[in-house]
Amino acid sequence: MAVKKSTGAEVLVDILIEEGVEFIFGLPGGSTIPVFDALVDKRIRLILTRHEQGAVHMADGYARATGKTAVVLVTSGPGATNTVTGLLTALMDSVPMVVICGQTPSSSLGLDAFQEADTSGITYPVVKHSYLLKDPADLPRVVKEAFYLAGTGRPGPVLIDLPKDISAALLEYGGKEDGRDFHLPGYVVPTRGDEEAIGRAARLLGEAKRPLVLVGHGAVISNASPELKALIETMQIPVVNTLLGKGAFPETHPLNLGMLGMHGTAYANKAVIECDLIMSVGSRWDDRIVGRYDEFCPAAMKIHIDIDPAEIDKVVKVDVGIIGDAKTVLAQMLPLLEPGDTADWVKRVGRFRREYPLKYKKEGKLRAQHVMEELYRLCDGKAVVVTDVGQHQMWAAQYMLADSGNNWISSGGAGTMGFGLPAAIGAQLGRPGEPVVAIVGDGGFQMTLAELATAGIAKLPIKIVVINNHYLGMVRQWQNLFYDERYSGVDLEGNPDFVKLAQSYGLKGFRITRPADIRRVLKAAMDYNEGPCLIDAEVEKHDNVFPIVPAGAALRNMILEPPKRKLEKPTGGT
Amino acid sequence: MANGMKEIGRHSLSLYVSNKPGVLNRITQVFSRRGYNIDSLVVSETQDPRFSRMNIVASGDRETLEQILKQLNKLVDVIHAKDYSFEDVIQKELVLFKIDCTAEVRTEALQICDAFKARTVDLSADTLTVEVTGTTEKLDAMKTMFEPFGIRELVRTGKVLMARGKAAT
């Protein structure tokens, strides 16, 4: 029987459907018209964004909220270059994504054709892998390989550069099995860890007097929560988590001390300073949590579980490195565990928690922390919380506890301002019917706020909380603490009226200006479900995030409250 | 260990990679991102046309190099990357020297060629061009011997290496 011929674009869309893709996030252009044409007749929903950066962050939010590989479709040239920030964000935070970029016809490659960019060349450093399609016959294999690479091992973004003549070409597509003949001899997906190393780690965990488990994003990605819980409870080991590890082990669990690092809780950092063993599960010892590498837990035994061999000994040298999938490795470790006596240690970190709590003033001006604490209470800790980047992000990390890894979405590694709103849109699309809260600052929000239209059209009931201090607050904080209050480039004079802005997009707008308003306004916003709403929280302009460990300093140099004396400029980091 | 106490050395790497467009870019970016200079680079197809062999010589501290190797091995198009600096492997490099060489000094120049088993490939009234293969050290030594004559041009292929016996590189 003769196989029917279809265009490359039709085959592409058929494969996306086979791969279980529900949404395509994107914006069209000349070189992608054949693909957008193919979408007209297919059962796949296009989310038209207002900017390509919005599309990539939406895909990112969708992927993190669901664990599925998300798809972006943009045009060549500027369409493709607008994805670069989103690609970096996804690569740094290991998010599975396939980004399809239109490209000038193959015959024009390199001739400076209209909207031509060397997309492959520009994006090599920000993708897990990429393809430039030159032969229509390769299309099925390339698209399927892209999904395989994006979603396996350490996930990441995979880019397909698709020249217009390839998407317009006719080809025979043989269905599901066509193109499954992957040839990837340089790609290995680690699963089980080395038995001997796991045995050693289990023994060290049992022998330690003051052990600590550090939970990172890898634990979320590999769905390691049940194994992690079994290990922590069997061994009675206190837990700290990274910004992106939030929720893999419930933050409301009595053994969880919350986030460590630069703006982590004082009790988490004190536990890190005093521990005699620290085991990282899927964290890459980022500079934001470790401070000074050479002064990080110098006396503690270090165990590192990671799926990426390049992370072992990259910055912190470890005593036991285990390469494998976090869930599988923990399952291998569980039967080998023999609990030691950690009762005194658990008591001691409990005392840290009581002696050094997070605190702020509830009276006087409106405080961002207060808004978040009330929001957390109103959501009963069940909302999917998506943040932007800056002070509000750190306060959210401190006050919006997560009990499930997929309920906390934030740009960690890249620290991409503008991530919050589009990522929340992606998360809400992936998790309809669940409460989604976007907590953004007035700075980052304005970088991608055009996506209010996207959220409005889809009638997504997202609560967008703008923590509005009229400043680029995190930089202002540094200038305040370390640069003699010489403020430079941080005043956001000229902010729009965010309530009116929301209304102009047809959205509901609320405003909070006094602590007494918080509960009432937030409740009204939570009860409004006809579409997105924006809550403009006019907070104290000069607030700083505490605790803070100055960049490049050791954790023991943590500052708990506004200092009375002048501080030196941080020298060791950004 | 204090900063600035890093162990600097010259490293010879062998990479087995997919023979595809763009692979070289991905690989060189792993070096350039870390401010690492590539001293020499040889790329050629292997007995299997789907794969290429790359030999790279680069100088720098050992810790950064270990990170570079791990990042290279992470690339989907890199089958394997290995540092052979401290292993007994066959290492060769070819160089062409074009030196100032009039009739008065020709005998002396040819004696040097003899000592280094170099071959004359071109001769003119004023110049002598020779090819020589060998280890980097041998070629460096020959360069020193030729310097008094005046080296007009020099081109080196860069180091190639291969494991001995049945061992695969």
Side-chain angles (χ1 to χ4, degrees), chain A residues 170-192:
Chain A
L170 289 174
L171 65 141
E172 292 182 351
Y173 175 53
K176 273 193 173 157
E177 291 314 305
D178 190 354
R180 285 264 158 222
D181 51 335
F182 300 167
H183 182 69
L184 298 165
Y187 184 66
V188 184
V189 179
T191 48
R192 285 178 70 79

PDB file of all heavy atoms in Angstrom, chain A residues 170-192:
ATOM      1  N   LEU A 170       7.146  17.615   0.552  1.00  0.00           N
ATOM      2  CA  LEU A 170       6.284  16.446   0.730  1.00  0.00           C
ATOM      3  C   LEU A 170       7.133  15.250   1.113  1.00  0.00           C
ATOM      4  O   LEU A 170       8.201  15.030   0.558  1.00  0.00           O
ATOM      5  CB  LEU A 170       5.529  16.152  -0.571  1.00  0.00           C
ATOM      6  CG  LEU A 170       4.429  17.165  -0.932  1.00  0.00           C
ATOM      7  CD1 LEU A 170       3.857  16.855  -2.315  1.00  0.00           C
ATOM      8  CD2 LEU A 170       3.311  17.153   0.117  1.00  0.00           C
ATOM      9  N   LEU A 171       6.675  14.502   2.111  1.00  0.00           N
ATOM     10  CA  LEU A 171       7.406  13.300   2.477  1.00  0.00           C
ATOM     11  C   LEU A 171       6.441  12.209   2.910  1.00  0.00           C
ATOM     12  O   LEU A 171       5.283  12.477   3.224  1.00  0.00           O
ATOM     13  CB  LEU A 171       8.433  13.581   3.575  1.00  0.00           C
ATOM     14  CG  LEU A 171       7.952  13.997   4.950  1.00  0.00           C
ATOM     15  CD1 LEU A 171       8.817  13.337   6.005  1.00  0.00           C
ATOM     16  CD2 LEU A 171       8.040  15.501   5.100  1.00  0.00           C
ATOM     17  N   GLU A 172       6.948  10.978   2.880  1.00  0.00           N
ATOM     18  CA  GLU A 172       6.136   9.851   3.319  1.00  0.00           C
ATOM     19  C   GLU A 172       6.433   9.617   4.784  1.00  0.00           C
ATOM     20  O   GLU A 172       7.583   9.467   5.177  1.00  0.00           O
ATOM     21  CB  GLU A 172       6.511   8.599   2.510  1.00  0.00           C
ATOM     22  CG  GLU A 172       6.103   8.706   1.057  1.00  0.00           C
ATOM     23  CD  GLU A 172       6.448   7.442   0.274  1.00  0.00           C
ATOM     24  OE1 GLU A 172       7.153   6.563   0.830  1.00  0.00           O
ATOM     25  OE2 GLU A 172       6.020   7.353  -0.889  1.00  0.00           O
ATOM     26  N   TYR A 173       5.397   9.606   5.590  1.00  0.00           N
ATOM     27  CA  TYR A 173       5.599   9.365   7.013  1.00  0.00           C
ATOM     28  C   TYR A 173       4.962   8.031   7.374  1.00  0.00           C
ATOM     29  O   TYR A 173       3.772   7.825   7.164  1.00  0.00           O
ATOM     30  CB  TYR A 173       4.988  10.503   7.822  1.00  0.00           C
ATOM     31  CG  TYR A 173       5.062  10.270   9.321  1.00  0.00           C
ATOM     32  CD1 TYR A 173       6.284   9.969   9.922  1.00  0.00           C
ATOM     33  CD2 TYR A 173       3.935  10.343  10.125  1.00  0.00           C
ATOM     34  CE1 TYR A 173       6.363   9.738  11.277  1.00  0.00           C
ATOM     35  CE2 TYR A 173       4.005  10.125  11.489  1.00  0.00           C
ATOM     36  CZ  TYR A 173       5.221   9.817  12.063  1.00  0.00           C
ATOM     37  OH  TYR A 173       5.306   9.583  13.406  1.00  0.00           O
ATOM     38  N   GLY A 174       5.753   7.132   7.899  1.00  0.00           N
ATOM     39  CA  GLY A 174       5.298   5.778   8.167  1.00  0.00           C
ATOM     40  C   GLY A 174       4.641   5.588   9.524  1.00  0.00           C
ATOM     41  O   GLY A 174       4.437   4.462   9.972  1.00  0.00           O
ATOM     42  N   GLY A 175       4.355   6.675  10.251  1.00  0.00           N
ATOM     43  CA  GLY A 175       3.670   6.539  11.536  1.00  0.00           C
ATOM     44  C   GLY A 175       4.628   6.326  12.695  1.00  0.00           C
ATOM     45  O   GLY A 175       5.836   6.549  12.583  1.00  0.00           O
ATOM     46  N   LYS A 176       4.042   5.868  13.820  1.00  0.00           N
ATOM     47  CA  LYS A 176       4.743   5.830  15.110  1.00  0.00           C
ATOM     48  C   LYS A 176       6.169   5.276  15.080  1.00  0.00           C
ATOM     49  O   LYS A 176       7.053   5.788  15.755  1.00  0.00           O
ATOM     50  CB  LYS A 176       3.920   5.024  16.121  1.00  0.00           C
ATOM     51  CG  LYS A 176       2.910   5.919  16.810  1.00  0.00           C
ATOM     52  CD  LYS A 176       2.318   5.247  18.024  1.00  0.00           C
ATOM     53  CE  LYS A 176       1.460   6.269  18.759  1.00  0.00           C
ATOM     54  NZ  LYS A 176       0.444   5.721  19.597  1.00  0.00           N
ATOM     55  N   GLU A 177       6.351   4.186  14.300  1.00  0.00           N
ATOM     56  CA  GLU A 177       7.679   3.557  14.333  1.00  0.00           C
ATOM     57  C   GLU A 177       8.689   4.254  13.425  1.00  0.00           C
ATOM     58  O   GLU A 177       9.893   4.045  13.539  1.00  0.00           O
ATOM     59  CB  GLU A 177       7.570   2.072  13.961  1.00  0.00           C
ATOM     60  CG  GLU A 177       6.863   1.236  15.016  1.00  0.00           C
ATOM     61  CD  GLU A 177       7.370   1.531  16.428  1.00  0.00           C
ATOM     62  OE1 GLU A 177       8.587   1.427  16.666  1.00  0.00           O
ATOM     63  OE2 GLU A 177       6.531   1.892  17.293  1.00  0.00           O
ATOM     64  N   ASP A 178       8.180   5.098  12.528  1.00  0.00           N
ATOM     65  CA  ASP A 178       9.056   5.795  11.588  1.00  0.00           C
ATOM     66  C   ASP A 178       9.961   6.776  12.353  1.00  0.00           C
ATOM     67  O   ASP A 178       9.481   7.571  13.159  1.00  0.00           O
ATOM     68  CB  ASP A 178       8.169   6.551  10.576  1.00  0.00           C
ATOM     69  CG  ASP A 178       8.974   7.102   9.405  1.00  0.00           C
ATOM     70  OD1 ASP A 178      10.221   6.994   9.434  1.00  0.00           O
ATOM     71  OD2 ASP A 178       8.352   7.641   8.472  1.00  0.00           O
ATOM     72  N   GLY A 179      11.254   6.701  12.083  1.00  0.00           N
ATOM     73  CA  GLY A 179      12.177   7.658  12.706  1.00  0.00           C
ATOM     74  C   GLY A 179      12.606   7.270  14.105  1.00  0.00           C
ATOM     75  O   GLY A 179      13.188   8.061  14.827  1.00  0.00           O
ATOM     76  N   ARG A 180      12.310   6.027  14.502  1.00  0.00           N
ATOM     77  CA  ARG A 180      12.706   5.588  15.859  1.00  0.00           C
ATOM     78  C   ARG A 180      14.115   4.999  15.878  1.00  0.00           C
ATOM     79  O   ARG A 180      14.599   4.558  16.924  1.00  0.00           O
ATOM     80  CB  ARG A 180      11.717   4.545  16.394  1.00  0.00           C
ATOM     81  CG  ARG A 180      10.408   5.138  16.826  1.00  0.00           C
ATOM     82  CD  ARG A 180      10.360   5.413  18.336  1.00  0.00           C
ATOM     83  NE  ARG A 180       9.353   6.414  18.633  1.00  0.00           N
ATOM     84  CZ  ARG A 180       9.493   7.426  19.490  1.00  0.00           C
ATOM     85  NH1 ARG A 180      10.597   7.544  20.179  1.00  0.00           N
ATOM     86  NH2 ARG A 180       8.544   8.302  19.690  1.00  0.00           N
ATOM     87  N   ASP A 181      14.763   4.988  14.711  1.00  0.00           N
ATOM     88  CA  ASP A 181      16.114   4.419  14.625  1.00  0.00           C
ATOM     89  C   ASP A 181      17.137   5.463  15.077  1.00  0.00           C
ATOM     90  O   ASP A 181      17.960   5.921  14.294  1.00  0.00           O
ATOM     91  CB  ASP A 181      16.398   3.950  13.191  1.00  0.00           C
ATOM     92  CG  ASP A 181      16.083   5.041  12.156  1.00  0.00           C
ATOM     93  OD1 ASP A 181      15.239   5.917  12.470  1.00  0.00           O
ATOM     94  OD2 ASP A 181      16.665   5.017  11.068  1.00  0.00           O
ATOM     95  N   PHE A 182      17.077   5.841  16.363  1.00  0.00           N
ATOM     96  CA  PHE A 182      18.013   6.849  16.874  1.00  0.00           C
ATOM     97  C   PHE A 182      19.441   6.333  16.787  1.00  0.00           C
ATOM     98  O   PHE A 182      19.699   5.164  17.029  1.00  0.00           O
ATOM     99  CB  PHE A 182      17.730   7.163  18.349  1.00  0.00           C
ATOM    100  CG  PHE A 182      16.357   7.697  18.627  1.00  0.00           C
ATOM    101  CD1 PHE A 182      15.883   7.760  19.928  1.00  0.00           C
ATOM    102  CD2 PHE A 182      15.538   8.154  17.601  1.00  0.00           C
ATOM    103  CE1 PHE A 182      14.626   8.259  20.207  1.00  0.00           C
ATOM    104  CE2 PHE A 182      14.275   8.655  17.872  1.00  0.00           C
ATOM    105  CZ  PHE A 182      13.819   8.700  19.182  1.00  0.00           C
ATOM    106  N   HIS A 183      20.336   7.228  16.460  1.00  0.00           N
ATOM    107  CA  HIS A 183      21.762   6.889  16.541  1.00  0.00           C
ATOM    108  C   HIS A 183      22.418   7.926  17.435  1.00  0.00           C
ATOM    109  O   HIS A 183      22.806   8.995  16.978  1.00  0.00           O
ATOM    110  CB  HIS A 183      22.371   6.870  15.135  1.00  0.00           C
ATOM    111  CG  HIS A 183      23.820   6.482  15.141  1.00  0.00           C
ATOM    112  ND1 HIS A 183      24.244   5.210  15.456  1.00  0.00           N
ATOM    113  CD2 HIS A 183      24.939   7.187  14.890  1.00  0.00           C
ATOM    114  CE1 HIS A 183      25.569   5.163  15.399  1.00  0.00           C
ATOM    115  NE2 HIS A 183      26.009   6.352  15.061  1.00  0.00           N
ATOM    116  N   LEU A 184      22.492   7.610  18.723  1.00  0.00           N
ATOM    117  CA  LEU A 184      23.021   8.577  19.692  1.00  0.00           C
ATOM    118  C   LEU A 184      24.100   7.918  20.565  1.00  0.00           C
ATOM    119  O   LEU A 184      23.941   7.775  21.777  1.00  0.00           O
ATOM    120  CB  LEU A 184      21.885   9.101  20.584  1.00  0.00           C
ATOM    121  CG  LEU A 184      20.754   9.857  19.875  1.00  0.00           C
ATOM    122  CD1 LEU A 184      19.538  10.004  20.783  1.00  0.00           C
ATOM    123  CD2 LEU A 184      21.240  11.223  19.417  1.00  0.00           C
ATOM    124  N   PRO A 185      25.207   7.500  19.920  1.00  0.00           N
ATOM    125  CA  PRO A 185      26.221   6.753  20.698  1.00  0.00           C
ATOM    126  C   PRO A 185      26.892   7.606  21.776  1.00  0.00           C
ATOM    127  O   PRO A 185      27.493   7.061  22.701  1.00  0.00           O
ATOM    128  CB  PRO A 185      27.225   6.315  19.630  1.00  0.00           C
ATOM    129  CG  PRO A 185      27.052   7.299  18.515  1.00  0.00           C
ATOM    130  CD  PRO A 185      25.608   7.702  18.529  1.00  0.00           C
ATOM    131  N   GLY A 186      26.771   8.935  21.675  1.00  0.00           N
ATOM    132  CA  GLY A 186      27.421   9.792  22.673  1.00  0.00           C
ATOM    133  C   GLY A 186      26.490  10.187  23.803  1.00  0.00           C
ATOM    134  O   GLY A 186      26.846  11.021  24.629  1.00  0.00           O
ATOM    135  N   TYR A 187      25.289   9.589  23.849  1.00  0.00           N
ATOM    136  CA  TYR A 187      24.304  10.004  24.851  1.00  0.00           C
ATOM    137  C   TYR A 187      23.966   8.835  25.761  1.00  0.00           C
ATOM    138  O   TYR A 187      23.423   7.827  25.321  1.00  0.00           O
ATOM    139  CB  TYR A 187      23.047  10.518  24.151  1.00  0.00           C
ATOM    140  CG  TYR A 187      21.998  11.061  25.100  1.00  0.00           C
ATOM    141  CD1 TYR A 187      22.248  12.203  25.851  1.00  0.00           C
ATOM    142  CD2 TYR A 187      20.767  10.437  25.242  1.00  0.00           C
ATOM    143  CE1 TYR A 187      21.296  12.705  26.723  1.00  0.00           C
ATOM    144  CE2 TYR A 187      19.801  10.941  26.102  1.00  0.00           C
ATOM    145  CZ  TYR A 187      20.074  12.074  26.843  1.00  0.00           C
ATOM    146  OH  TYR A 187      19.129  12.571  27.699  1.00  0.00           O
ATOM    147  N   VAL A 188      24.293   8.972  27.013  1.00  0.00           N
ATOM    148  CA  VAL A 188      24.046   7.914  27.994  1.00  0.00           C
ATOM    149  C   VAL A 188      23.104   8.460  29.059  1.00  0.00           C
ATOM    150  O   VAL A 188      23.303   9.564  29.550  1.00  0.00           O
ATOM    151  CB  VAL A 188      25.369   7.478  28.670  1.00  0.00           C
ATOM    152  CG1 VAL A 188      25.137   6.316  29.619  1.00  0.00           C
ATOM    153  CG2 VAL A 188      26.409   7.120  27.618  1.00  0.00           C
ATOM    154  N   VAL A 189      22.062   7.703  29.393  1.00  0.00           N
ATOM    155  CA  VAL A 189      21.152   8.133  30.453  1.00  0.00           C
ATOM    156  C   VAL A 189      21.437   7.319  31.711  1.00  0.00           C
ATOM    157  O   VAL A 189      21.126   6.136  31.768  1.00  0.00           O
ATOM    158  CB  VAL A 189      19.681   7.930  30.032  1.00  0.00           C
ATOM    159  CG1 VAL A 189      18.741   8.349  31.155  1.00  0.00           C
ATOM    160  CG2 VAL A 189      19.382   8.719  28.771  1.00  0.00           C
ATOM    161  N   PRO A 190      22.039   7.938  32.717  1.00  0.00           N
ATOM    162  CA  PRO A 190      22.308   7.188  33.946  1.00  0.00           C
ATOM    163  C   PRO A 190      21.004   6.879  34.685  1.00  0.00           C
ATOM    164  O   PRO A 190      20.104   7.712  34.717  1.00  0.00           O
ATOM    165  CB  PRO A 190      23.170   8.148  34.779  1.00  0.00           C
ATOM    166  CG  PRO A 190      23.592   9.231  33.839  1.00  0.00           C
ATOM    167  CD  PRO A 190      22.520   9.309  32.791  1.00  0.00           C
ATOM    168  N   THR A 191      20.902   5.692  35.243  1.00  0.00           N
ATOM    169  CA  THR A 191      19.729   5.353  36.060  1.00  0.00           C
ATOM    170  C   THR A 191      20.193   4.843  37.423  1.00  0.00           C
ATOM    171  O   THR A 191      20.204   5.585  38.388  1.00  0.00           O
ATOM    172  CB  THR A 191      18.838   4.303  35.374  1.00  0.00           C
ATOM    173  OG1 THR A 191      19.663   3.233  34.910  1.00  0.00           O
ATOM    174  CG2 THR A 191      18.055   4.904  34.230  1.00  0.00           C
ATOM    175  N   ARG A 192      20.627   3.552  37.468  1.00  0.00           N
ATOM    176  CA  ARG A 192      21.066   2.990  38.748  1.00  0.00           C
ATOM    177  C   ARG A 192      22.443   3.514  39.129  1.00  0.00           C
ATOM    178  O   ARG A 192      23.306   3.701  38.277  1.00  0.00           O
ATOM    179  CB  ARG A 192      21.118   1.470  38.655  1.00  0.00           C
ATOM    180  CG  ARG A 192      19.743   0.810  38.674  1.00  0.00           C
ATOM    181  CD  ARG A 192      19.862  -0.692  38.524  1.00  0.00           C
ATOM    182  NE  ARG A 192      20.436  -1.326  39.705  1.00  0.00           N
ATOM    183  CZ  ARG A 192      19.762  -1.583  40.827  1.00  0.00           C
ATOM    184  NH1 ARG A 192      18.489  -1.266  40.910  1.00  0.00           N
ATOM    185  NH2 ARG A 192      20.335  -2.163  41.844  1.00  0.00           N
TER     186      ARG A 192
END
